[in-house]
Amino acid sequence: MANDPSRTQRLPSRHIADELRRAIADGELSPGDKLPSERELAEKYKTARNTAREAIRLLAEQGLVVTQQGRGAFVREAQRLFRFGSDRYSKKNRESGLTPFRLEAKKQGKVARIEVVGIDRERPSQEIAERLGVSPDADSVLHRENHYFADEEPVQIVSTYLRYEEVEGTLLMQAKTGKDGIYGRLEELGHVMTDVREEVTARMPAPAEQSFLRLPPGVPVLDVLHTGLDQDGVPFEVSRYVHRADLAGLLYEFSVV
C-alpha cells in the first residue's frame, strides 16, 4: 500500500507538543501546573533542547500555556469574567447603582476599573451608520472609547457610538456622565432601552487589540456588536465589545415561542 501523506512522521517538536496537549486535556497537567523544563523534555524524548523549546512555543501559540521569564512554562488557568447578556441592562441591576461591568466584576470578587481613552466626533463605518440610521459620509456620530480592567488586568475594549445631533452639548460628551452612566443620560433624551440585539463573532485580534489586552499568541477575541433599541423600537446606541476570549464568557437565557 502506498504511503498516506497524512500519516507521515510528525516533527519531533510537534510530537512533544501533542503529548503535552494530551496530558493537559486528560488532567494529568492541571491549570497552574509547571511543565517539565526544556532540559527534562529533551532528555525524555531524546531530542535537542531547541526542539523542546519549539514544542512549548507551539502550545503557547494555542493559548494552552504561558511562559514566565526565568521560571518556565505553566498550564494556563481559565479565569472567566462573565458578561451576563440576559439581564445586564435590567431594572433590577440598574437599581444597584452600578454599571453592568462593575456589577459583574463585584459579583465575582473582582475590582473594576474603566478608563475613558477617547471621546470624538467622527464619520461612522457603514455597519454603524446603518444601525443608527445616520450618514456614513459625514461626522454623524459621537464615538466613546473605553478600556475595562478587572483586578488591573485588561479584559475588554468598548466602542460606543451615538447620534451626534442628539448628544451634542450633553454630559455624554464628557468622561464622567453622571448617575446611571450613559444609559441614564440617554433615558433623559427619551430613549429607554427596551430591546437589545447582539451579533457575536470570534476572530483573531488586531495588533492594537492584542497589545492592550496582553493577549498571548493564538488567543482570539469575542466581538459583540450590541444595538440598544428604545420603547419605540428605534436603535439609539451601538457598542462594540471586544473581549479576551480566555477571560470572558457570554450567558444568554431566553424563552422559545
Side-chain angles (χ1 to χ4, degrees):
M1 180 182 295
N3 289 336
D4 182 349
S6 67
R7 303 175 75 89
T8 55
Q9 187 174 4
R10 290 169 294 174
L11 292 172
S13 58
R14 293 190 177 276
H15 171 68
I16 297 172
D18 288 345
E19 290 290 305
L20 291 172
R21 190 183 301 105
R22 180 198 56 76
I24 293 170
D26 291 348
E28 296 173 21
L29 287 171
S30 301
D33 284 354
K34 185 177 181 180
L35 270 62
S37 68
E38 293 174 5
R39 178 183 58 79
E40 291 169 332
L41 289 171
E43 290 179 356
K44 178 178 179 179
Y45 292 98
K46 297 180 171 50
T47 188
R49 285 186 62 171
N50 63 344
T51 300
R53 186 178 304 120
E54 173 66 10
I56 293 174
R57 186 190 69 79
L58 291 170
L59 294 176
E61 281 191 346
Q62 295 164 9
L64 294 175
V65 305
V66 291
T67 56
Q68 300 178 14
Q69 186 69 31
R71 295 192 61 208
F74 298 82
V75 179
R76 173 174 291 280
E77 297 191 52
Q79 300 177 344
R80 293 192 171 274
L81 179 69
F82 284 97
R83 177 181 185 273
F84 297 105
S86 301
D87 64 352
R88 66 185 272 116
Y89 305 107
S90 68
K91 182 178 180 182
K92 175 188 67 176
N93 285 348
R94 286 280 302 279
E95 289 173 349
S96 72
L98 298 174
T99 63
F101 178 78
R102 292 187 187 279
L103 182 59
E104 290 165 7
K106 182 180 179 181
K107 286 179 179 178
Q108 296 170 73
K110 296 179 181 291
V111 177
R113 181 168 71 85
I114 302 171
E115 182 179 315
V116 181
V117 297
I119 304 175
D120 302 288
R121 181 179 185 177
E122 65 182 39
R123 182 173 301 184
S125 66
Q126 187 66 40
E127 67 175 355
I128 300 298
E130 288 177 354
R131 285 160 178 77
L132 282 177
V134 297
S135 172
D137 301 317
D139 295 337
S140 56
V141 298
L142 182 74
H143 173 197
R144 297 178 59 92
E145 182 91 1
N146 291 351
H147 288 173
Y148 287 67
F149 301 80
D151 289 346
E152 289 306 312
E153 184 163 16
V155 293
Q156 67 181 17
I157 301 168
V158 181
S159 303
T160 296
Y161 301 91
L162 306 167
R163 282 188 284 270
Y164 188 82
E165 63 178 14
E166 284 192 314
V167 303
E168 183 180 9
T170 72
L171 285 175
L172 289 163
M173 300 186 69
Q174 300 181 22
K176 295 184 177 181
T177 56
K179 185 177 182 298
D180 295 328
I182 68 169
Y183 293 110
R185 305 293 73 72
L186 288 165
E187 285 192 5
E188 291 171 357
L189 293 174
H191 298 296
V192 177
M193 185 183 293
T194 304
D195 291 293
V196 168
R197 180 189 304 123
E198 295 194 339
E199 303 158 67
V200 184
T201 57
R203 59 176 173 81
M204 298 309 296
E209 294 168 340
Q210 184 174 28
S211 175
F212 167 69
L213 293 171
R214 303 174 196 166
L215 285 169
V219 175
V221 294
L222 293 177
D223 187 311
V224 181
L225 187 60
H226 155 101
T227 303
L229 294 90
D230 66 15
Q231 66 280 0
D232 298 318
V234 176
F236 65 94
E237 61 95 13
V238 175
S239 295
R240 167 161 271 119
Y241 296 83
V242 179
H243 304 267
R244 282 188 58 151
D246 60 337
L247 293 178
L250 305 179
L251 173 63
Y252 296 109
E253 297 177 356
F254 50 89
S255 300
V256 179
V257 295

